[in-house]
Amino acid sequence: MPTDTFTNLPIEKRNLILHLAIEEFAGHPYHAASISNIVREAGIAKGSFYQYFADKKACYRYLVEMATKEKLNIVTEIPAPDPGCDLFGYLRWQFLTQVHFELTRPRLAQILYRAFIEDIPFPDMAEELRRRGTTQFFKQLLSQGILHGTVAPWVDPDVAAFLTEVIFYQFGKYFIERLSLTKDDFTSHAIYDRQDVQALLTSLMDILEAGIKRNPNQQANYLRVN
Amino acid sequence: MPTDTFTNLPIEKRNLILHLAIEEFAGHPYHAASISNIVREAGIAKGSFYQYFADKKACYRYLVEMATKEKLNIVTEIPAPDPGCDLFGYLRWQFLTQVHFELTRPRLAQILYRAFIEDIPFPDMAEELRRRGTTQFFKQLLSQGILHGTVAPWVDPDVAAFLTEVIFYQFGKYFIERLSLTKDDFTSHAIYDRQDVQALLTSLMDILEAGIKRNPNQQANYLRVN
Amino acid sequence: MPTDTFTNLPIEKRNLILHLAIEEFAGHPYHAASISNIVREAGIAKGSFYQYFADKKACYRYLVEMATKEKLNIVTEIPAPDPGCDLFGYLRWQFLTQVHFELTRPRLAQILYRAFIEDIPFPDMAEELRRRGTTQFFKQLLSQGILHGTVAPWVDPDVAAFLTEVIFYQFGKYFIERLSLTKDDFTSHAIYDRQDVQALLTSLMDILEAGIKRNPNQQANYLRVN
Amino acid sequence: MPTDTFTNLPIEKRNLILHLAIEEFAGHPYHAASISNIVREAGIAKGSFYQYFADKKACYRYLVEMATKEKLNIVTEIPAPDPGCDLFGYLRWQFLTQVHFELTRPRLAQILYRAFIEDIPFPDMAEELRRRGTTQFFKQLLSQGILHGTVAPWVDPDVAAFLTEVIFYQFGKYFIERLSLTKDDFTSHAIYDRQDVQALLTSLMDILEAGIKRNPNQQANYLRVN
DNA sequence: CATGAATGAGGGTTCATTCAT
DNA sequence: AATGAATGAACCCTCATTCAT
């Protein structure tokens, strides 16, 4: 999405501009993010910016795609899940990855967060985000969990997927705030090795598992209001 | 937050302005919401608007407070929970109230949703929203649940509160979309009486209860990644 | 097309702005005409201009409509044609009116001239100009001339109308340049009373009449090239 | 006007650039024509363009001169007029040449058309165009016509030249539209051989001749307004 | 000789806000 | 109390042109 002009830029300059653009779009809703700000802080001419990106939207889209890719790349920085693990082991690993992402790339994570949660003024792009987003992913994961007998058969997979997804989007911020994590807990494996993170994650997973995992002795009581 | 001038306005005019302001702030992120739009559609002078509200922020804050109050008032429109019901009965009732709110006052609900989910450019206001918001409420609720033995003792009440809260904020939209609810399912009790709503809510509560309710036979297996 | 804000402006201010806008759009092709110029010279804020006109196009359209109306109004300033006169008497009167218009309202005339002759970037507006323009008018005039026997029957009315129209659009500038007419030949009737104008007009009409007027003795020799 | 650098360019590249420049300046008023467009479509560097032409004006001027020359060259593509033909035979031939030019080189013709009809922002260039343009040519032609007795002595040669010129500039578009001519009526002689073109041209010439040709029986009635 | 990044003035437009009437 | 004209900074974006490589 950026032009070749941008791609061919000296890496330092390119990174400076990217950094400032990321800060701007992470720090403000799309409408409040200002190209003028970016160029002012980058010390480049307005015209230059528009030789790098066709327009504000193109720049924004690029950042979102960048964040998406970065999120995929990040998996290598966290030990892979036990190949034999079940759905919940896998989910736990997903969650760890997410915290790691939010902690090591907080601005990119914030841009993705905004892209999902706020209105962006480009219906096509919003549509694409949803499609490639996590909703389908979680839905399939949970459906398979039922088939495989990992998930209790009485669980509505759609509801379970909804639950998992909303937690997935929000728990990172919760962890970071509750454990006062900072960017300085940065080095690779850092998250994975921290006892407090693992403990908190266990608390969360315990509830999730108790909620949806198959368990012969477990049977919900259907309460009715009034 | 509005001036006396506004308060003393003939009710019709006041309502018109409020209605249009609600539409504007519900329909757009704060920065994209436009006072010019409001006054144009209301057919009032720009200056008049600024005699009703000190500025854009004051208007916005008022709407948020309005929505908050309205949400409190709404409880009368839904049958009260069984006085003897436990935490989960009470939660179920809370959730029902929330769907009812989102369905009967969709614009106000949307404003509140935006206020929590998007940045608003006023740190003080954001802070206040959090403080008066639901976080504390759910935390206390869950803590008491543990004390009373309704909630499994191994549950971290903070985590459970976090879970409940994020679900609480998002499930309304999920219900509305999944059940294709419209404003026309509007009359009082409507939500309460709909089988599909109750059934879906049950699916959700079942998972929540299974996740955190005390149950002698229930014991989470602590999975570890690898 | 201008807003009420503009309409309600003190007449002096309104006229100043109109004057400067007319100068700008008469003096430059649409793309080169600059709102910034207008406001700078008017000494008003840019924002003010946009309270008067929705956008550049609206301002331009208004000027074109103004010029069109003014051209219609102007007929009262020239003695009416002899009620019994024939097509050519009427055409002569039309031409006189046109010179008068171009001389007394040169900038408005220039705006109309541009509107017909240059590309304007609004297809709809161009279309409307053509429709309401002179093409149809001259076509009907000449067709009727043939019916009434004023025009020679061998004349193609379409071609004659084309001829009349292109002359009509261009001869004003020709007159003004050839006779060195200036705005100071301004007073009402001035054009009508000037011998040189009438003489030149006669020269023009003579040719036109000789070209298309019915005349028993007149018969074109059909020349062929080679 | 282009630099030697441009002249020495491989002919294909040169033609590509010329072609695109012609398209741009034919398709848009001078101010709306964009060098950026040209270089983008040509796939050359911006800097290269400025090594071929000093600036936008130089490029434009070159195209105008090119079109002028091409128009002179074109005469060889149409059968020469009968050497013994009179002024009107010659004019007819001129007109044919003009239609041929507009039809076979529509973009160049359009550039010339714009150059005469629109303002170009270079007074000197405009001046030169007028001087070398057709005005003097037609004036001399008509004056000689009077001397030779081909043109009626009562005809003002200046007025007749003006008439001829405005027709000359506009009738090509009229013909093309009325006869729905397209570039595909393209091959040499095509125009010359088409019956409809010849017939329409005859209609036009008939009027012109009737208007200004010497004819013993012809005498205009001098009409006066009222 | 070609390149293409850099420029910055200028374009049209919108905005929240003020203040004299 | 209501008005609505005035403001001007800020917005996104385009342009012809330059110049170091």
Side-chain angles (χ1 to χ4, degrees), chain A residues 129-164:
Chain A
L129 276 170
R130 301 289 163 216
R131 219 173 356 95
R132 299 202 327 208
T134 52
T135 310
Q136 291 308 315
F137 172 74
F138 283 122
K139 216 172 273 186
Q140 288 174 13
L141 207 62
L142 273 297
S143 296
Q144 287 179 0
I146 291 186
L147 283 179
H148 294 175
T150 325
V151 171
W154 52 266
V155 166
D156 180 323
D158 228 57
V159 171
F162 157 73
L163 273 181
T164 314

Side-chain angles (χ1 to χ4, degrees), chain C residues 21-45:
Chain C
I22 289 169
E23 285 294 318
E24 187 70 15
F25 281 101
H28 307 87
Y30 183 83
H31 280 100
S34 154
I35 302 299
S36 297
N37 259 358
I38 297 174
V39 301
R40 188 183 314 117
E41 287 171 23
I44 62 172

Side-chain angles (χ1 to χ4, degrees), chain C residues 205-219:
Chain C
M205 293 302 299
D206 282 350
I207 296 178
L208 205 57
E209 289 180 33
I212 63 182
K213 197 176 190 180
R214 178 184 208 116
N215 185 326
N217 301 322
Q218 173 186 7
Q219 180 59 29

